[in-house]
Amino acid sequence: ETAAKECFKVANACLCTRQRQRAPSCFPTQMHPSRRHQTATERKNLMETAKAALKRLRDGNRRFVADVRNPDNASSHARRSEIAAGQEPFAIILGCSDSRVPAELVFDQGLGDLFVIRVAGNIVAPSQVGSVEFAAARYRTKLVVVLGHSQCGAILATLDELKRPSENQSRNLKSIVDRIRPSIETLMDTDLKHDHDALVHQSVRANIRASVNHLRHGSEILESLSQNEGLLVVGAEYSLETGEVEFFDGLPANFSFD
Protein backbone atom coordinates (compact mmCIF):
# COMPACT_ATOMS: atom_id res chain seq x y z
CA GLU A 1 0.00 0.00 0.00
CA THR A 2 2.84 2.37 0.85
CA ALA A 3 4.54 1.62 -2.45
CA ALA A 4 1.31 2.33 -4.30
CA LYS A 5 0.98 5.70 -2.60
CA GLU A 6 4.54 6.60 -3.54
CA CYS A 7 3.87 5.66 -7.16
CA PHE A 8 0.76 7.83 -7.15
CA LYS A 9 2.74 10.80 -5.80
CA VAL A 10 5.41 10.42 -8.47
CA ALA A 11 2.84 10.11 -11.27
CA ASN A 12 0.93 13.13 -10.00
CA ALA A 13 4.12 15.19 -9.77
CA CYS A 14 5.01 14.29 -13.36
CA LEU A 15 1.53 15.22 -14.55
CA CYS A 16 1.67 18.60 -12.80
CA THR A 17 5.08 19.27 -14.34
CA ARG A 18 3.80 18.50 -17.84
CA GLN A 19 0.77 20.73 -17.28
CA ARG A 20 2.98 23.62 -16.15
CA GLN A 21 5.19 23.13 -19.18
CA ARG A 22 2.23 23.27 -21.53
CA ALA A 23 0.37 26.06 -19.79
CA PRO A 24 2.18 29.11 -21.22
CA SER A 25 1.14 28.31 -24.78
CA CYS A 26 -2.55 28.21 -23.89
CA PHE A 27 -2.86 30.38 -20.80
CA PRO A 28 -0.19 33.10 -20.76
CA THR A 29 -0.64 34.35 -17.20
CA GLN A 30 2.30 36.69 -17.72
CA MET A 31 2.62 38.75 -20.84
CA HIS A 32 5.85 38.74 -22.82
CA PRO A 33 8.05 41.71 -21.82
CA SER A 34 7.71 43.24 -25.27
CA ARG A 35 3.95 43.39 -24.81
CA ARG A 36 3.96 45.16 -21.47
CA HIS A 37 4.99 48.54 -22.85
CA GLN A 38 3.02 48.94 -26.03
CA THR A 39 2.75 52.33 -27.67
CA ALA A 40 -0.56 54.15 -27.90
CA THR A 41 -0.62 53.34 -31.62
CA GLU A 42 -0.19 49.61 -30.98
CA ARG A 43 -2.97 49.58 -28.40
CA LYS A 44 -5.23 51.49 -30.78
CA ASN A 45 -4.57 49.00 -33.58
CA LEU A 46 -5.43 46.08 -31.29
CA MET A 47 -8.67 47.80 -30.25
CA GLU A 48 -9.54 48.35 -33.90
CA THR A 49 -9.45 44.55 -34.33
CA ALA A 50 -12.10 44.19 -31.61
CA LYS A 51 -14.18 46.98 -33.13
CA ALA A 52 -14.04 45.33 -36.55
CA ALA A 53 -15.26 42.07 -35.00
CA LEU A 54 -18.09 43.94 -33.29
CA LYS A 55 -19.18 45.49 -36.58
CA ARG A 56 -18.98 42.10 -38.27
CA LEU A 57 -21.40 40.68 -35.70
CA ARG A 58 -23.75 43.64 -36.06
CA ASP A 59 -23.76 43.32 -39.85
CA GLY A 60 -24.47 39.60 -39.57
CA ASN A 61 -27.38 40.24 -37.22
CA ARG A 62 -28.81 42.77 -39.65
CA ARG A 63 -28.76 40.13 -42.36
CA PHE A 64 -30.46 37.66 -40.01
CA VAL A 65 -33.23 40.15 -39.19
CA ALA A 66 -33.72 40.91 -42.89
CA ASP A 67 -33.71 37.18 -43.67
CA VAL A 68 -30.85 37.71 -46.12
CA ARG A 69 -28.07 35.24 -45.45
CA ASN A 70 -24.45 35.43 -46.56
CA PRO A 71 -23.96 32.46 -48.94
CA ASP A 72 -20.28 32.28 -47.94
CA ASN A 73 -21.39 31.13 -44.46
CA ALA A 74 -23.07 27.99 -45.76
CA SER A 75 -21.48 24.78 -44.52
CA SER A 76 -19.51 23.18 -47.31
CA HIS A 77 -17.00 20.41 -47.77
CA ALA A 78 -14.37 22.97 -48.76
CA ARG A 79 -14.90 25.01 -45.60
CA ARG A 80 -14.87 21.93 -43.38
CA SER A 81 -11.58 20.85 -44.96
CA GLU A 82 -10.17 24.36 -44.60
CA ILE A 83 -10.70 24.54 -40.83
CA ALA A 84 -10.04 20.89 -39.98
CA ALA A 85 -6.42 21.66 -39.13
CA GLY A 86 -7.18 24.68 -36.94
CA GLN A 87 -9.53 27.50 -36.12
CA GLU A 88 -9.33 31.29 -35.91
CA PRO A 89 -12.63 32.49 -34.41
CA PHE A 90 -13.00 36.27 -34.61
CA ALA A 91 -15.34 36.46 -31.60
CA ILE A 92 -16.13 34.55 -28.42
CA ILE A 93 -19.81 34.33 -27.51
CA LEU A 94 -20.95 33.40 -24.01
CA GLY A 95 -24.66 32.90 -24.50
CA CYS A 96 -27.72 31.24 -23.07
CA SER A 97 -28.59 27.63 -23.86
CA ASP A 98 -32.07 28.64 -25.05
CA SER A 99 -32.86 26.80 -28.29
CA ARG A 100 -34.13 30.03 -29.85
CA VAL A 101 -30.79 31.85 -29.60
CA PRO A 102 -28.11 29.98 -31.59
CA ALA A 103 -25.27 32.48 -31.95
CA GLU A 104 -24.08 31.29 -35.36
CA LEU A 105 -27.55 31.88 -36.80
CA VAL A 106 -28.47 35.19 -35.14
CA PHE A 107 -25.12 36.65 -36.23
CA ASP A 108 -25.18 34.90 -39.63
CA GLN A 109 -21.74 33.35 -39.28
CA GLY A 110 -20.29 30.11 -40.55
CA LEU A 111 -18.10 27.24 -39.44
CA GLY A 112 -15.01 28.35 -37.56
CA ASP A 113 -16.11 31.98 -37.15
CA LEU A 114 -17.32 31.95 -33.55
CA PHE A 115 -16.12 30.26 -30.35
CA VAL A 116 -19.43 29.66 -28.59
CA ILE A 117 -20.02 28.81 -24.94
CA ARG A 118 -23.64 28.21 -23.95
CA VAL A 119 -25.12 27.82 -20.49
CA ALA A 120 -28.56 28.52 -19.04
CA GLY A 121 -28.83 32.16 -18.06
CA ASN A 122 -25.46 33.02 -19.69
CA ILE A 123 -23.98 32.77 -16.20
CA VAL A 124 -20.27 32.88 -15.46
CA ALA A 125 -18.88 29.96 -13.46
CA PRO A 126 -15.26 28.70 -13.40
CA SER A 127 -15.72 26.46 -16.45
CA GLN A 128 -17.10 29.35 -18.49
CA VAL A 129 -14.26 31.65 -17.42
CA GLY A 130 -11.73 28.96 -18.31
CA SER A 131 -13.32 28.47 -21.73
CA VAL A 132 -13.13 32.20 -22.49
CA GLU A 133 -9.54 32.33 -21.21
CA PHE A 134 -8.61 29.41 -23.46
CA ALA A 135 -10.07 30.92 -26.62
CA ALA A 136 -8.77 34.43 -25.98
CA ALA A 137 -5.25 33.25 -25.18
CA ARG A 138 -4.91 30.36 -27.66
CA TYR A 139 -6.59 31.95 -30.68
CA ARG A 140 -5.88 35.60 -29.83
CA THR A 141 -9.56 36.43 -30.30
CA LYS A 142 -10.11 40.08 -29.39
CA LEU A 143 -13.85 40.22 -28.77
CA VAL A 144 -15.98 38.55 -26.09
CA VAL A 145 -19.75 39.02 -26.13
CA VAL A 146 -22.04 38.01 -23.27
CA LEU A 147 -25.31 37.39 -25.10
CA GLY A 148 -28.50 37.33 -23.06
CA HIS A 149 -32.02 37.45 -24.44
CA SER A 150 -35.54 38.62 -23.71
CA GLN A 151 -37.82 36.40 -21.64
CA CYS A 152 -34.89 34.29 -20.42
CA GLY A 153 -36.17 31.19 -18.64
CA ALA A 154 -33.34 31.21 -16.11
CA ILE A 155 -34.20 34.81 -15.18
CA LEU A 156 -37.89 33.96 -14.86
CA ALA A 157 -37.03 30.95 -12.68
CA THR A 158 -34.88 33.15 -10.43
CA LEU A 159 -37.61 35.77 -10.08
CA ASP A 160 -40.11 33.03 -9.20
CA GLU A 161 -37.69 31.70 -6.59
CA LEU A 162 -37.29 35.16 -5.07
CA LYS A 163 -41.05 35.62 -4.89
CA ARG A 164 -41.94 32.08 -3.79
CA PRO A 165 -38.93 30.14 -2.47
CA SER A 166 -39.22 26.43 -3.19
CA GLU A 167 -38.24 23.68 -0.77
CA ASN A 168 -37.48 20.89 -3.21
CA GLN A 169 -35.55 22.67 -5.95
CA SER A 170 -32.87 20.65 -7.72
CA ARG A 171 -29.46 21.53 -6.31
CA ASN A 172 -28.16 21.80 -9.86
CA LEU A 173 -30.85 24.27 -10.88
CA LYS A 174 -30.30 26.07 -7.58
CA SER A 175 -26.63 26.58 -8.49
CA ILE A 176 -27.76 28.52 -11.58
CA VAL A 177 -30.36 30.52 -9.68
CA ASP A 178 -27.83 31.36 -6.96
CA ARG A 179 -25.47 32.86 -9.54
CA ILE A 180 -28.21 35.02 -11.03
CA ARG A 181 -29.84 36.04 -7.75
CA PRO A 182 -27.31 38.69 -6.56
CA SER A 183 -27.62 40.75 -9.71
CA ILE A 184 -31.41 40.98 -9.70
CA GLU A 185 -32.69 40.62 -6.13
CA THR A 186 -32.16 44.34 -5.42
CA LEU A 187 -34.57 45.11 -8.27
CA MET A 188 -37.31 43.43 -6.24
CA ASP A 189 -37.08 46.32 -3.76
CA THR A 190 -37.82 48.95 -6.41
CA ASP A 191 -41.00 50.05 -8.17
CA LEU A 192 -40.18 47.50 -10.87
CA LYS A 193 -41.85 44.85 -8.70
CA HIS A 194 -45.19 46.35 -9.77
CA ASP A 195 -44.40 45.99 -13.50
CA HIS A 196 -43.59 42.39 -14.41
CA ASP A 197 -42.45 43.06 -17.99
CA ALA A 198 -40.15 45.90 -16.95
CA LEU A 199 -38.79 43.81 -14.09
CA VAL A 200 -37.95 40.92 -16.40
CA HIS A 201 -36.31 43.24 -18.93
CA GLN A 202 -34.15 44.99 -16.35
CA SER A 203 -33.29 41.66 -14.71
CA VAL A 204 -32.06 40.24 -18.02
CA ARG A 205 -29.81 43.26 -18.48
CA ALA A 206 -28.57 43.28 -14.90
CA ASN A 207 -27.60 39.62 -15.25
CA ILE A 208 -25.74 40.31 -18.51
CA ARG A 209 -23.85 43.17 -16.87
CA ALA A 210 -22.92 40.94 -13.94
CA SER A 211 -21.49 38.30 -16.29
CA VAL A 212 -19.56 40.93 -18.26
CA ASN A 213 -18.14 42.37 -15.05
CA HIS A 214 -17.13 38.91 -13.83
CA LEU A 215 -15.22 38.22 -17.03
CA ARG A 216 -13.53 41.61 -16.97
CA HIS A 217 -12.42 41.51 -13.36
CA GLY A 218 -12.65 37.88 -12.25
CA SER A 219 -9.77 36.54 -14.31
CA GLU A 220 -6.16 37.68 -14.23
CA ILE A 221 -5.65 36.31 -17.73
CA LEU A 222 -8.59 38.18 -19.25
CA GLU A 223 -7.74 41.34 -17.34
CA SER A 224 -4.19 41.19 -18.64
CA LEU A 225 -5.38 40.56 -22.19
CA SER A 226 -7.76 43.52 -21.90
CA GLN A 227 -5.02 45.84 -20.70
CA ASN A 228 -2.24 44.65 -23.01
CA GLU A 229 -3.72 42.85 -26.00
CA GLY A 230 -6.86 44.81 -26.90
CA LEU A 231 -9.40 42.27 -25.64
CA LEU A 232 -12.88 43.78 -25.47
CA VAL A 233 -15.72 42.31 -23.36
CA VAL A 234 -19.21 43.61 -24.09
CA GLY A 235 -22.79 42.77 -23.16
CA ALA A 236 -25.67 42.34 -25.60
CA GLU A 237 -29.33 41.35 -25.55
CA TYR A 238 -31.12 39.38 -28.26
CA SER A 239 -34.81 40.07 -28.78
CA LEU A 240 -36.85 36.93 -29.32
CA GLU A 241 -39.59 39.11 -30.76
CA THR A 242 -37.60 41.02 -33.40
CA GLY A 243 -34.41 39.00 -33.85
CA GLU A 244 -32.29 42.09 -33.22
CA VAL A 245 -29.22 42.12 -30.99
CA GLU A 246 -28.55 45.30 -29.02
CA PHE A 247 -25.02 45.85 -27.76
CA PHE A 248 -25.47 47.97 -24.65
CA ASP A 249 -22.62 47.38 -22.20
CA GLY A 250 -18.89 47.97 -22.56
CA LEU A 251 -18.75 49.58 -25.99
CA PRO A 252 -15.59 51.65 -26.53
CA ALA A 253 -15.84 55.41 -26.06
CA ASN A 254 -16.98 57.27 -29.19
CA PHE A 255 -17.61 53.93 -30.93
CA SER A 256 -20.17 53.94 -33.73
CA PHE A 257 -21.43 51.08 -35.85
CA ASP A 258 -21.86 53.46 -38.80
Side-chain angles (χ1 to χ4, degrees):
E1 182 179 355
T2 301
K5 289 182 178 179
E6 288 301 320
C7 289
F8 176 80
K9 289 180 180 179
V10 171
N12 188 54
C14 291
L15 176 60
C16 291
T17 299
R18 290 196 297 271
Q19 289 174 334
R20 285 195 298 271
Q21 291 171 341
R22 289 196 300 264
S25 63
C26 299
F27 300 100
T29 55
Q30 294 184 343
M31 305 308 298
H32 188 276
S34 64
R35 296 177 188 161
R36 293 193 186 118
H37 305 290
Q38 292 171 328
T39 66
T41 300
E42 288 173 331
R43 288 193 295 272
K44 181 180 179 181
N45 289 339
L46 288 169
M47 182 55 69
E48 289 302 317
T49 301
K51 290 178 180 178
L54 201 52
K55 290 181 179 181
R56 186 172 170 182
L57 289 180
R58 192 284 309 264
D59 291 345
N61 180 243
R62 282 187 170 180
R63 293 193 299 273
F64 172 76
V65 172
D67 201 22
V68 178
R69 303 300 177 87
N70 184 348
D72 292 338
N73 291 333
S75 176
S76 66
H77 176 74
R79 178 57 176 163
R80 290 196 302 271
S81 298
E82 179 185 352
I83 62 175
Q87 58 178 313
E88 294 181 344
F90 74 87
I92 301 165
I93 311 294
L94 172 57
C96 183
S97 299
D98 194 295
S99 62
R100 300 166 291 181
V101 197
E104 292 87 350
L105 293 183
V106 303
F107 289 120
D108 188 30
Q109 300 301 319
L111 290 175
D113 291 333
L114 303 177
F115 190 96
V116 181
I117 305 144
R118 299 182 69 179
V119 60
N122 43 271
I123 60 172
V124 175
S127 60
Q128 282 80 50
V129 176
S131 296
V132 174
E133 288 176 342
F134 172 78
R138 170 64 72 88
Y139 306 119
R140 299 189 180 279
T141 307
K142 302 303 181 188
L143 177 65
V144 180
V145 178
V146 175
L147 181 64
H149 65 92
S150 61
Q151 301 301 321
C152 177
I155 297 295
L156 295 173
T158 302
L159 289 172
D160 286 344
E161 182 65 20
L162 289 171
K163 294 175 183 177
R164 296 176 295 276
S166 59
E167 297 181 358
N168 301 314
Q169 187 180 56
S170 157
R171 64 180 182 180
N172 299 307
L173 178 58
K174 184 177 184 299
S175 69
I176 297 175
V177 169
D178 286 347
R179 286 193 178 274
I180 297 175
R181 183 195 304 266
S183 64
I184 70 175
E185 60 184 349
T186 56
L187 298 177
M188 299 290 290
D189 297 326
T190 69
D191 290 340
L192 288 171
K193 63 184 177 182
H194 304 300
D195 186 336
H196 177 74
D197 291 341
L199 176 61
V200 172
H201 175 65
Q202 292 302 323
S203 295
V204 166
R205 297 220 162 184
N207 181 55
I208 294 170
R209 290 190 184 96
S211 292
V212 168
N213 187 64
H214 191 153
L215 290 177
R216 284 186 190 142
H217 305 294
S219 162
E220 292 181 3
I221 291 175
L222 297 181
E223 198 162 359
S224 178
L225 290 172
S226 296
Q227 293 172 358
N228 300 287
E229 294 289 305
L231 180 70
L232 180 65
V233 184
V234 303
E237 180 184 358
Y238 171 78
S239 170
L240 292 176
E241 296 75 22
T242 68
E244 294 183 358
V245 173
E246 180 182 353
F247 297 91
F248 68 89
D249 186 81
L251 295 179
N254 302 318
F255 173 77
S256 173
F257 281 109
D258 300 320

